[in-house]
Amino acid sequence: MLFPQVKKLEKYGEYSFDGAVSVSLCESDIEYEKLFDTVFGGISSPEGKLVISCKKAAAEPTHGQEEYSLVISEKGGKVFSEVSAYYEEGIMRGLQTIKRMLLKNEFILGNINDYPSFKVRGYIEGFYGKPWKARERLEMLSLMALFGENTHYYAPKDDPYHRDKWREPYPEKKAAELKRLIDKAKSLYVELYYCIAPGLSMKYSSDEELQALFDKTRQLFSMGIKNFGLLLDDIPSDLFYEEDKKRYGNAVRAHIELIGKYFSFLKSLSPECRLTVCPTAYHGKGDERELTGLTGNIPSEVSVFYTGSDICSKEITRAEAEYFEKNNNRQPLYWDNYPVNDAEMFMEMHIGPVIGRDKELYKSCEGIISNCMEYFNCNKFSLITLAAYMWSPEDYEPERAFSEAVSFMLPENEREAFVLLADQFRTSCLHDENSRIMGEYLSAASVRLSTGNYESALEILTEYTDKINSAAVSLSEKSSPLYKELSRWIKKFILMSDILTLALSVIKGEDKKAGLKRKMRKYNESATVLTAFCFREYIESVLDYEN
Ligand code: GDL
């Protein structure tokens, strides 16, 4: 099965290779060599078993610059795949689709026509917490491009040069790291936005301050950035300098002037420069005075971030987006605060698939940019589901997307334990039902117990407890970065596994209630968020249980 779902597919077969696969580009397609190398560099060889050709389509696409077609066939143990698109962006997306088939070793034989639904599909490093490492940023770009994303916003709240020390230029080493990110984004046809957040200390009325902002911007422009973000979120909504108060009266007026001048400055650097602004009023209904007062007085080409009805929105609907557009003379660009787990959410782990985003949202907004967690590897599960939703929201199935993400991320022998752990991670702003697998086992057992079917209840509880026990053992042995990031949650999961074992002994008539009580107290004392109410309810009923 293709994932994310493509728009049109005429399939007449499937093919999988035996053993390792090398890839080659048809000799005549030399003009696409750079794109080919970006996607397949490292596994390409002159006599590849997977032969790719790239052609410029004859006609302009009807569904945007990223539209492409693929014709895939097999002959004599070789797979031939022809990508055609009018724009290079389309060739790139087509090559990434072939790469996903290659990584799964599942080739669809037939014809594909494909294009994304959301115009802007991306992620933002926009959380509070330890910024990602330079090499992790490069890895995330490749991964998100593989799943069809086309935009990345660089805005780590704790990169000092982004916020606290916004006036200071990046020192040489940091600048070199950013340059690599810029070059990588370009090669993947991903639009990279560099964001700056001066609002904690800027004196808006000062020319020197404005020049400092322009100077910093010039540094990034000279490194190849053409897209900028001016973030005015999470700053006091009142002005703090007397000069500013006198000149503007309120922060909205100061922001209007700042945005206008910054936008003109960017256009003077290059007419291709683009600007996105995050207003101080970035969530709500979209008709708030602070917001409409701002958007009514800034150029209509400036994109405006909005997080929806809340900072972390449970749902984002097309009707809300339309209401925003009506009030702000432009469509919203959603800054989606999922999977981010900073601030008050730091005890939660957000690994589940995205839900609650309208299937028709793409018709009324500019796009979605998902805000990430500082836990670099943990992000990948939900981000893959978000990328799939944004490519093809009408075909998006959250649980299928989640299991695709798990299969992509983990070897087969790790998946079962991971899924049992991830079953306990659905608590988030999306309010998904937590511990679904656990809940099914426990409620099946409790129905049997209450109807006097003790043996069958015990069978179910033993099966689940055994599964959790072996998952706990296997998780405790893992040391790769993903599991290190999860260590707080895994520790509690291991305790949960011990508790389940003790509970089972109590049901079998062993005298272990005191130990069970002790461990459960310890479990409840830990603030790390794991498991739903069904777990506590089960343990309480076991403690009340009379054999
Ligand atoms: C916010 C911040 C964001 C943070 C998120 C979740 C926006 C626009 N800004 O308010 O940086 O990660 O909440 O805590 O969302």
Side-chain angles (χ1 to χ4, degrees):
M1 272 286 258
L2 280 164
F3 174 82
Q5 199 94 9
V6 293
K7 291 290 188 302
K8 279 182 217 135
L9 169 68
E10 284 165 30
K11 176 178 161 183
Y12 58 79
E14 278 176 21
Y15 187 80
S16 299
F17 288 106
D18 289 331
V21 185
S22 53
V23 192
S24 58
L25 178 70
C26 263
E27 272 172 30
S28 56
D29 300 337
I30 205 78
E31 60 184 299
Y32 292 108
E33 200 173 12
K34 233 169 117 187
L35 277 83
F36 173 84
D37 282 344
T38 300
V39 181
F40 295 103
I43 46 170
S44 69
S45 88
E47 280 298 310
K49 284 200 224 169
L50 170 61
V51 184
I52 292 175
S53 71
C54 305
K55 296 272 171 288
K56 179 163 172 135
E60 281 261 9
T62 41
H63 297 103
Q65 296 201 355
E66 294 168 285
E67 182 172 3
Y68 67 90
S69 297
L70 273 179
V71 179
I72 309 171
S73 58
E74 182 268 331
K75 203 174 165 197
K78 281 190 166 195
V79 169
F80 297 86
S81 183
E82 185 183 300
V83 194
S84 59
Y86 191 82
Y87 292 101
E88 290 189 352
E89 284 84 342
I91 299 280
M92 175 52 77
R93 304 298 168 238
L95 291 174
Q96 297 285 13
T97 299
I98 301 172
K99 175 122 183 237
R100 292 196 306 274
M101 290 194 232
L102 174 66
L103 292 171
K104 277 173 109 176
N105 192 15
E106 278 175 23
F107 287 87
I108 301 286
L109 304 177
N111 304 321
I112 288 170
N113 173 250
D114 199 18
Y115 50 88
S117 293
F118 280 88
K119 217 167 41 236
V120 175
R121 309 172 305 283
Y123 64 103
I124 180 166
E125 189 181 335
F127 51 82
Y128 293 92
K130 198 164 159 253
W132 295 342
K133 298 188 177 80
R135 106 183 122 64
E136 292 175 332
R137 294 192 178 115
L138 299 177
E139 188 189 326
M140 193 59 95
L141 263 184
S142 298
L143 180 71
M144 290 298 101
L146 176 64
F147 284 95
E149 292 205 347
N150 63 5
T151 308
H152 169 49
Y153 279 77
Y154 177 90
K157 284 275 192 295
D158 291 311
D159 166 359
Y161 301 96
H162 158 69
R163 211 156 85 112
D164 289 347
K165 298 190 199 169
W166 62 269
R167 299 173 188 84
E168 292 182 29
Y170 277 93
E172 211 174 308
K173 185 167 167 258
K174 292 274 164 214
E177 287 172 5
L178 269 176
K179 178 80 178 99
R180 278 195 286 279
L181 190 70
I182 295 164
D183 293 344
K184 178 112 189 164
K186 216 169 269 171
S187 73
L188 288 162
Y189 290 74
V190 169
E191 295 291 340
L192 176 66
Y193 282 73
Y194 176 83
C195 301
I196 190 152
L200 283 178
S201 60
M202 185 174 190
K203 190 188 275 181
Y204 300 111
S205 54
S206 150
D207 278 346
E208 292 84 71
E209 291 279 79
L210 199 61
Q211 283 313 317
L213 179 65
F214 292 173
D215 288 346
K216 176 70 167 278
T217 303
R218 262 190 219 102
Q219 180 193 25
L220 291 141
F221 180 77
S222 72
M223 285 155 60
I225 296 268
K226 292 222 173 83
N227 304 318
F228 289 87
L230 183 61
L231 305 190
L232 300 166
D233 59 316
D234 293 4
I235 56 172
S237 52
D238 294 326
L239 295 167
F240 26 82
Y241 297 107
E242 283 311 316
E243 294 94 316
D244 286 356
K245 283 184 195 163
K246 215 180 279 165
R247 175 145 157 197
Y248 305 107
N250 63 45
V252 172
R253 283 205 207 106
H255 292 171
I256 291 168
E257 188 180 279
L258 174 67
I259 294 165
K261 285 187 173 167
Y262 193 51
F263 187 63
S264 304
F265 168 71
L266 292 178
K267 288 290 172 193
S268 74
L269 288 178
S270 159
E272 284 173 37
C273 277
R274 279 180 287 198
L275 177 62
T276 298
V277 161
C278 183
T280 309
Y282 56 82
H283 65 95
K285 280 170 70 183
D287 60 2
E288 294 74 14
R289 224 158 26 110
E290 294 81 356
L291 177 69
T292 57
L294 183 96
T295 54
N297 292 291
I298 59 171
S300 57
E301 305 98 290
V302 173
S303 298
V304 172
F305 266 141
Y306 207 57
T307 64
S309 53
D310 286 299
I311 297 178
C312 302
S313 295
K314 181 180 181 216
E315 283 180 335
I316 305 179
T317 66
R318 186 177 174 196
E320 281 168 29
E322 281 172 347
Y323 189 69
F324 180 100
E325 184 177 2
K326 205 173 101 195
N327 284 283
N328 297 283
N329 65 348
R330 77 206 72 210
Q331 295 189 333
L333 173 59
Y334 283 106
W335 167 317
D336 192 352
N337 273 320
Y338 188 77
V340 64
N341 69 342
D342 60 8
E344 281 82 20
M345 303 172 281
F346 80 111
M347 286 293 171
E348 297 172 3
M349 171 46 68
H350 298 162
I351 266 183
V354 66
I355 54 168
R357 274 69 184 126
D358 197 327
K359 284 188 186 303
E360 293 199 348
L361 186 59
Y362 70 94
K363 293 178 181 164
S364 307
C365 73
E366 208 187 313
I368 301 184
I369 305 296
S370 349
N371 191 15
C372 302
M373 301 185 279
E374 68 174 276
Y375 303 93
F376 173 74
N377 290 285
C378 296
N379 282 299
K380 294 174 185 169
F381 299 89
S382 53
L383 287 186
I384 289 174
T385 72
L386 275 151
Y389 159 76
M390 289 192 267
W391 189 277
S392 255
E394 269 128 356
D395 300 305
Y396 177 71
E397 294 167 34
E399 293 310 321
R400 191 193 146 214
F402 181 66
S403 67
E404 289 279 357
V406 171
S407 306
F408 177 82
M409 287 285 299
L410 300 172
E412 212 172 334
N413 61 359
E414 288 183 27
R415 291 178 200 157
E416 193 182 347
F418 186 83
V419 166
L420 287 167
L421 173 70
D423 184 43
Q424 315 297 347
F425 290 158
R426 294 292 178 97
T427 304
S428 74
C429 66
L430 304 177
H431 293 297
D432 199 2
E433 181 195 347
N434 202 10
S435 313
R436 200 171 305 174
I437 305 173
M438 177 188 247
E440 274 165 20
Y441 273 98
L442 296 184
S443 68
S446 115
V447 168
R448 282 162 181 76
L449 274 181
S450 61
T451 54
N453 200 342
Y454 175 83
E455 288 306 323
S456 161
L458 204 59
E459 219 172 274
I460 291 170
L461 290 170
T462 308
E463 184 189 329
Y464 183 66
T465 305
D466 286 352
K467 273 179 190 281
I468 294 294
N469 287 168
S470 55
V473 171
S474 106
L475 291 166
S476 68
E477 288 163 354
K478 299 276 180 296
S479 58
S480 67
L482 168 69
Y483 296 99
K484 277 198 188 131
E485 289 171 9
L486 286 169
S487 63
R488 273 196 281 154
W489 291 272
I490 290 179
K491 198 168 155 211
K492 192 158 177 180
F493 185 85
I494 293 169
L495 180 57
M496 181 194 94
S497 158
D498 290 349
I499 293 172
L500 287 172
T501 308
L502 279 172
L504 201 57
S505 312
V506 171
I507 297 176
K508 285 178 185 162
E510 290 176 42
D511 179 18
K512 296 209 168 149
K513 277 194 184 175
L516 177 59
K517 242 187 222 162
R518 210 177 323 112
K519 290 228 167 180
M520 197 56 197
R521 207 175 306 126
K522 195 169 161 204
Y523 184 89
N524 286 332
E525 275 164 15
S526 143
T528 301
V529 176
L530 201 78
T531 71
F533 179 57
C534 66
F535 176 63
R536 266 182 291 142
E537 213 182 15
Y538 166 57
I539 300 305
E540 274 159 28
S541 72
V542 172
L543 287 168
D544 289 342
Y545 189 72
E546 303 290 344
N547 288 94

